Amino acid sequence: MKKDLPENRVVDIAIAVALERENIETKIWYVYLINLKNEPIENVLITSKGYGEKNGEPVKTSVLRHMFPKVESKAFVLIEPIDEETFGLNNEYWLSYYIGKNIYDKKFIFLPESIIDSNFIKLPVLNKPGVMIL
């Protein structure tokens, strides 16, 4: 039964979209996993996809899968580059990882138009401008 399963809550883990660099013609964006915990996480699996509507038509991106054997404490890993064209979609990142023998998972969704300058913060650990979901 679901009620018998332990509630392994994901805390101190973030997914962030960071502005890497920009010039007159373009901006370069990357998505990162940030481990704010005081311990490493292991066997990290992240799936990413975009979905929504564009010009009144349903749009879906490919599902991508990323695996990282270990993410150290107070560290980050690069998940993938992200195209500005997808900022008008829901950008979903589903994270699963282990601490010891316990598994944790959480879905992070950047809603359409949430990756905008007015939502920027200085991302912890990365020290870059961007948007983060805890």
Side-chain angles (χ1 to χ4, degrees):
M1 293 280 191
K2 188 174 180 177
K3 64 179 176 62
D4 297 325
L5 294 174
E7 186 180 329
N8 294 339
R9 291 181 23 131
V10 173
V11 293
D12 297 331
I13 299 289
I15 301 288
V17 177
L19 178 60
E20 287 297 308
R21 61 186 173 276
E22 63 181 310
N23 59 39
I24 296 171
E25 299 172 4
T26 187
K27 292 181 179 181
I28 306 297
W29 301 87
Y30 289 142
V31 181
Y32 291 93
L33 168 69
I34 304 173
N35 180 6
L36 299 168
K37 293 182 166 302
N38 292 321
E39 60 190 325
I41 59 176
E42 297 181 323
N43 297 320
V44 180
L45 176 65
I46 301 169
T47 61
S48 64
K49 67 180 179 179
Y51 56 90
E53 282 190 12
K54 191 165 189 169
N55 300 325
E57 297 291 322
V59 176
K60 288 184 186 180
T61 67
S62 299
V63 175
L64 302 176
R65 292 168 183 81
H66 311 276
M67 176 67 183
F68 305 99
K70 189 175 195 177
V71 180
E72 294 295 338
S73 165
K74 308 292 186 199
F76 63 88
V77 293
L78 171 64
I79 299 172
E80 64 188 15
I82 186 169
D83 190 321
E84 255 183 312
E85 292 291 316
T86 67
F87 290 176
L89 301 175
N90 294 297
N91 287 284
E92 176 183 298
Y93 296 87
W94 197 326
L95 167 71
S96 295
Y97 63 90
Y98 283 86
I99 296 177
K101 293 185 179 189
N102 295 318
I103 189 168
Y104 299 79
D105 76 325
K106 182 175 179 178
K107 192 183 298 185
F108 298 81
I109 301 174
F110 291 91
L111 297 174
E113 310 306 331
S114 63
I115 305 168
I116 56 174
D117 290 351
S118 62
N119 290 337
F120 278 16
I121 60 168
K122 184 177 180 184
L123 299 169
V125 183
L126 280 169
N127 294 320
K128 296 179 183 186
V131 178
M132 179 174 83
I133 300 174
L134 271 170

